[in-house]
Amino acid sequence: MKFNDLNLSDPITRSLKDQGYEKPTPIQTEVIPAILNKSDVMAAAQTGTGKTAAFVLPILSMLSNPKNNYKGHQLRALILTPTRELAAQVRESVNTYSKYLSIRSTAVYGGARIHNQRLKLRKGVDVLVATPGRLLDLYNQKAVNFKNIELFVLDEADQMLDMGFIHDIKKIANLLPDRRQNLMFTATFSNPFRKLAKEMADKAIEISVTTDGEAGENIEHYCHPVDKSRKAELLIELIETQNWDQALVFTRTKHGADRLQKQLEKVEISAKAIHGNKTQNNRMKALDAFKNNRVKILVATDVAARGIDIKKMSQVINFDVPTVAKDYIHRIGRTGRGGDKGKAITLVSADEFRLLSDIEKLLGQKLERVEIEGFEPEHVVPAKEKQKPKNKKFHNRGGFKNRRRSRKG
Ligand code: AMP
């Protein structure tokens, strides 16, 4: 399949040529015709599969004909994203692919001045990318008018649900015209996602290029057992001995991300941290410095990093094992892209063993344990889960306690 077979308008195929894209990715091949056919679509695709272009390209193609009765504050396509970074990134894609079209677009999100955003919306835009909270603020200030919306997109819908945006999404959906096309993108078809999708568009075409437990086959996974107190030291050792040019490192908490950044800088390894407590400007700058190779290590929390497009990461490091197994898949989605080999390395301490087991169950594979000389843990990380005791009489302490309690009562 070639882009020319997809019936996208000419200015768009020209912009794709400029980007050097040779052919559509699998998600694009399936989603683009469905959108151009005016269907509602729900699609499961992770970051890195080309899913942004899968909805941006047909939307631009459909909006190529300017509307004559175009009025102030109005929009034609509304794209909701969970995070500010993702909103800015999707807007950038809209800009890239619409360079030969006269399409107006902007992005609005929290952490930036609302006044400037109001001004940009005054004359109306064709495509608005927004985070839900800021969009509702702007709506309440009468800075946007939803009357002419033709297309409504939820990007990373499952993350928006995880982040508690369900009420905002429903509120926004209720303000939109009934006659609209709904496009819903999610990393996984979780139950809460399905419920929302059914409410929004019960006849949506379902497209999936991934399954819940799937992780890129060209990714090599392994873990280093290590005592918790020595993780930073081990990370520094790996950075210094393994010739990584850059690495994306995940921590569980914002505080942990800041602490690790400081520890790296102390030994003159350039590092930046991104998480929810940093200002928007700060996060953008850090991301930019990393993308342009001015810093070696980007330390991120899960929420800050979801959906961010960082090209060709050779390795992703889990400094902490994620508490939700699915987050492992999201994290490592940033390595091994487009056929490149990637590494997913997890530093695991004994107390994280159960979380590691959950990930192994989801992946359907065991992560190889590789001990690093000089860092062998004092608190041993088991190779596999202990068998559950068969003979309850000798092992079921809870049962014994309960029996005693009932006898007393
Ligand atoms: P996404 O999954 O939307 O985050 O996209 C991941 C990356 O793939 C982005 O950097 C896009 O520029 C790139 N991309 C999207 N479509 C194509 C394509 N058909 N061929 C090559 N790269 C693409």
Side-chain angles (χ1 to χ4, degrees), residues 198-269:
K198 201 165 167 38
E199 279 174 42
M200 292 233 317
D202 65 347
K203 294 202 175 62
I205 295 179
E206 199 173 312
I207 294 171
S208 174
V209 294
T210 172
T211 57
D212 260 14
E214 191 179 297
E217 280 175 6
N218 47 347
I219 299 176
E220 194 186 336
H221 308 253
Y222 53 92
C223 60
H224 296 311
V226 60
D227 284 332
K228 204 171 204 70
S229 59
R230 297 195 67 200
K231 279 193 175 186
E233 209 186 320
L234 173 58
L235 179 67
I236 291 167
E237 166 87 7
L238 293 173
I239 295 170
E240 286 177 347
T241 56
Q242 303 214 345
N243 295 325
W244 299 338
D245 46 353
Q246 281 192 307
L248 178 60
V249 180
F250 284 95
T251 61
R252 197 177 304 144
T253 63
K254 301 168 192 174
H255 181 64
D258 282 337
R259 192 172 45 210
L260 183 59
Q261 182 207 0
K262 285 191 193 116
Q263 283 167 312
L264 294 172
E265 284 183 330
K266 218 172 179 175
V267 293
E268 292 179 1
I269 295 171

Side-chain angles (χ1 to χ4, degrees), residues 3 21 23-25 28 46-52 97 309 311:
F3 276 116
Y21 298 173
K23 56 179 178 35
T25 64
Q28 291 164 358
Q46 281 157 17
T47 307
T49 54
K51 56 139 176 114
T52 315
Y97 305 132
D309 177 30
K311 281 189 187 138

Side-chain angles (χ1 to χ4, degrees), residues 138-174:
L138 285 160
Y139 178 81
N140 291 333
Q141 296 184 8
K142 300 202 168 30
V144 272
N145 177 333
F146 295 145
K147 238 171 44 196
N148 275 0
I149 286 192
E150 299 160 46
L151 290 136
F152 181 42
V153 184
L154 298 180
D155 189 14
E156 302 264 351
D158 54 346
Q159 190 189 1
M160 284 200 268
L161 296 176
D162 286 350
M163 289 168 76
F165 283 136
I166 180 81
H167 298 298
D168 286 354
I169 294 172
K170 284 190 179 170
K171 220 183 274 171
I172 292 165
N174 280 333

